[in-house]
Amino acid sequence: MAFDNETLVNLNRGQEVSATDTFTGERYEQFVKHFPERTVDVLDIGCNTGRGGAIMMSKVSGLRVVGLDCVPDRLAELDTKVYAQTICGFADQVDLPGNSFDVIVAGEIIEHVPSKDVYPTLCECFRLLRLHGKLLLTTPNPAYLKNKLQHKSVLLEPSHVSQHTIRSMRRKMEDVGYSHIKIVGSGKMIRHVGQHFPISAVYGSYLASGTKW
C-alpha cells in the first residue's frame, strides 16, 4: 500500500496515545544513558509535544535539541526554551547540513515509516550525524511474547505502517554503514528485568543503537 504525506500526517495525528504514553519519560531516560560523552547537538525525531526533549535537557546540561515531527499541531506546543529549532517534515529528507548532530533519537518512530522509506530514513540520519555520532531508536518488537499469545500485531495500530524484527533492524543498520550496533530491551519490561534480559521476546520494544564510524 502506498502512503502519501498527507495520509501519513493524518495517521500520526490520530494516534493520540503518543502524547500521553506513560513510558515516554523512561524511554528518553534510557536514551540518555546511551549518549556518547560530550554530546551537545541532538535531533529528536518524532518529538511530538516535547516531553522527551524536556527529559533530555534535565539529564544532560548544555544540550541543544532540535525537534522534528510531521504533525504541525504538535510542534506548535513545543517549549522554545527546550527546543532550539523545530522542523515540520519527515526524517527521510531533512533540510539541514550533514554532520550536524552528535546524537539522533527516534523513539517509537521507525514503525511509522513506510517500508520503502526505511532505508532512506536510516541513510538520512547517517548523513546528519557527525563522525562518532550515534543513532538511537526504539521500535515495537514483533516477537513480543505477550502479543503472540494474544494474537496481536504491531500493525494493528493504524499509524504503524512497517515492522522490524531485531535481526532485520541490525541488518538494515549494517547495510547503511552504522558500526558498533547494539540492541537491548526497551518498553515497560525494563522496569522489572532491566534492558539486558537474555530472552528478547519478553520486551514489547527494543532499543537499537549504531555509530557513524
Side-chain angles (χ1 to χ4, degrees), residues 11-22 24 27 46-49 51 69 71 74 107-109 112 157 159:
L11 284 172
N12 283 285
R13 181 182 283 119
Q15 193 195 37
E16 297 179 358
V17 68
S18 63
T20 58
D21 176 20
T22 58
T24 294
R27 181 179 300 114
C47 59
N48 208 292
T49 55
R51 290 188 294 157
D69 204 286
V71 182
R74 294 173 178 169
E108 305 296 287
I109 296 303
H112 297 260
E157 162 57 50
S159 64

Coordinates of all heavy atoms in Angstrom, one line a residue, residues 11-22 24 27 46-49 51 69 71 74 107-109 112 157 159:
L11 N -2.6 9.9 9.8 CA -2.5 8.7 10.6 C -1.8 9.0 12.0 O -2.2 8.5 13.0 CB -1.7 7.6 9.8 CG -2.5 6.9 8.7 CD1 -1.5 6.0 7.9 CD2 -3.6 6.1 9.3
N12 N -0.7 9.8 11.9 CA 0.1 10.1 13.1 C -0.7 11.0 14.0 O -0.6 10.9 15.2 CB 1.4 10.6 12.7 CG 2.4 9.5 12.3 OD1 2.9 8.8 13.1 ND2 2.6 9.4 11.0
R13 N -1.4 12.0 13.4 CA -2.2 12.9 14.2 C -3.3 12.1 15.0 O -3.6 12.4 16.1 CB -2.9 13.9 13.3 CG -3.7 14.9 14.1 CD -4.4 15.9 13.2 NE -3.5 16.9 12.7 CZ -3.2 17.1 11.5 NH1 -3.7 16.4 10.5 NH2 -2.4 18.1 11.1
G14 N -3.8 11.0 14.4 CA -4.8 10.2 15.0 C -4.3 9.3 16.1 O -5.2 8.8 16.9
Q15 N -3.0 9.1 16.3 CA -2.5 8.3 17.4 C -2.3 9.2 18.6 O -1.2 9.6 19.0 CB -1.2 7.7 17.0 CG -0.8 6.6 18.0 CD 0.7 6.1 17.8 OE1 1.5 7.0 17.5 NE2 0.9 4.9 18.0
E16 N -3.4 9.5 19.3 CA -3.4 10.4 20.4 C -2.7 9.9 21.6 O -2.1 10.6 22.4 CB -4.8 10.8 20.8 CG -5.6 11.5 19.7 CD -7.0 11.8 20.1 OE1 -7.4 11.4 21.2 OE2 -7.7 12.5 19.2
V17 N -2.6 8.5 21.7 CA -1.9 8.0 22.9 C -0.4 8.3 22.9 O 0.2 8.3 24.0 CB -2.1 6.4 22.9 CG1 -1.3 5.8 21.7 CG2 -1.6 5.8 24.2
S18 N 0.2 8.7 21.8 CA 1.6 9.0 21.7 C 1.9 10.3 22.6 O 3.0 10.4 23.0 CB 2.0 9.3 20.3 OG 1.3 10.4 19.7
A19 N 0.9 11.1 22.8 CA 1.1 12.3 23.6 C 0.9 12.0 25.1 O 1.3 12.9 25.9 CB 0.2 13.4 23.2
T20 N 0.4 10.9 25.4 CA 0.1 10.6 26.9 C 0.8 9.3 27.4 O 0.6 8.9 28.5 CB -1.4 10.5 27.1 OG1 -1.9 9.4 26.2 CG2 -2.1 11.8 26.7
D21 N 1.5 8.6 26.5 CA 2.1 7.3 26.9 C 2.9 7.5 28.1 O 3.8 8.3 28.3 CB 3.1 6.9 25.7 CG 3.8 5.6 26.0 OD1 3.4 4.9 26.9 OD2 4.9 5.4 25.4
T22 N 2.6 6.6 29.1 CA 3.3 6.8 30.4 C 4.8 6.4 30.4 O 5.5 6.7 31.4 CB 2.5 5.9 31.5 OG1 2.5 4.6 31.1 CG2 1.1 6.4 31.7
T24 N 7.0 7.3 28.0 CA 7.8 8.2 27.2 C 9.0 8.7 28.0 O 10.1 8.7 27.5 CB 6.9 9.3 26.7 OG1 6.0 8.8 25.8 CG2 7.8 10.4 26.0
R27 N 11.6 6.1 28.4 CA 12.3 5.9 27.1 C 13.4 6.9 26.9 O 14.5 6.5 26.5 CB 11.3 5.9 26.0 CG 11.9 5.6 24.6 CD 10.8 5.7 23.5 NE 9.8 4.7 23.8 CZ 8.5 5.0 24.0 NH1 8.1 6.2 24.1 NH2 7.6 4.0 24.2
G46 N 10.4 12.7 15.7 CA 9.1 12.4 16.3 C 9.0 12.9 17.6 O 8.5 12.3 18.6
C47 N 9.3 14.2 17.8 CA 9.4 14.9 19.1 C 8.0 15.0 19.7 O 7.9 15.3 20.9 CB 10.1 16.2 19.0 SG 9.3 17.4 17.9
N48 N 7.0 14.9 18.9 CA 5.6 15.1 19.5 C 5.4 16.4 20.2 O 5.8 17.4 19.6 CB 5.3 13.9 20.4 CG 3.8 13.5 20.4 OD1 3.0 14.3 21.0 ND2 3.5 12.4 19.9
T49 N 4.9 16.4 21.4 CA 4.7 17.7 22.1 C 5.9 18.1 23.0 O 5.8 19.0 23.8 CB 3.4 17.6 23.0 OG1 3.5 16.5 23.8 CG2 2.2 17.4 22.1
R51 N 7.8 16.2 25.4 CA 8.1 15.7 26.7 C 9.5 15.1 26.7 O 10.3 15.2 27.7 CB 7.1 14.6 27.1 CG 5.7 15.1 27.4 CD 4.8 14.0 28.0 NE 4.6 13.0 27.0 CZ 4.2 11.8 27.3 NH1 4.1 11.4 28.5 NH2 3.9 10.9 26.3
D69 N 9.0 16.7 13.6 CA 7.7 16.0 13.6 C 6.9 16.3 12.4 O 7.1 17.4 11.8 CB 6.9 16.3 14.9 CG 5.9 15.2 15.3 OD1 4.9 15.0 14.6 OD2 6.2 14.4 16.2
V71 N 3.6 16.3 12.3 CA 2.3 16.9 12.7 C 2.5 18.3 13.2 O 3.1 18.5 14.3 CB 1.6 16.0 13.8 CG1 0.3 16.6 14.1 CG2 1.5 14.6 13.3
R74 N 1.5 19.5 16.8 CA 2.4 19.1 17.9 C 3.6 20.1 18.1 O 3.9 20.5 19.2 CB 2.9 17.7 17.7 CG 1.8 16.7 17.8 CD 2.3 15.3 17.4 NE 1.2 14.3 17.5 CZ 1.4 13.1 17.0 NH1 2.5 12.7 16.4 NH2 0.4 12.2 17.1
G107 N 12.3 7.7 19.1 CA 11.5 6.9 20.0 C 10.2 6.4 19.4 O 9.3 7.2 19.2
E108 N 10.1 5.1 19.1 CA 8.9 4.5 18.5 C 8.4 5.3 17.3 O 7.3 5.7 17.1 CB 7.8 4.5 19.6 CG 8.1 3.9 20.9 CD 8.4 2.4 20.8 OE1 7.5 1.6 20.6 OE2 9.6 2.0 20.8
I109 N 9.4 5.5 16.3 CA 9.1 6.2 15.1 C 9.2 5.4 13.8 O 8.5 5.5 12.9 CB 10.1 7.4 15.0 CG1 9.8 8.4 16.2 CG2 10.0 8.2 13.7 CD1 8.4 8.9 16.2
H112 N 6.4 3.9 12.0 CA 5.5 4.9 11.3 C 6.0 5.2 9.9 O 5.4 6.0 9.2 CB 5.4 6.2 12.2 CG 4.8 5.9 13.5 ND1 3.4 6.2 13.8 CD2 5.3 5.5 14.7 CE1 3.2 5.9 15.0 NE2 4.3 5.5 15.6
E157 N -2.1 -1.1 15.1 CA -2.2 0.3 15.2 C -2.1 0.9 13.8 O -1.2 0.7 13.1 CB -1.1 0.9 16.1 CG -0.8 2.3 16.0 CD -2.0 3.2 16.3 OE1 -2.6 3.0 17.3 OE2 -2.2 4.1 15.5
S159 N -1.4 3.7 12.5 CA -0.2 4.6 12.2 C 1.1 3.8 12.1 O 2.1 4.3 11.6 CB -0.1 5.7 13.2 OG 0.3 5.2 14.5

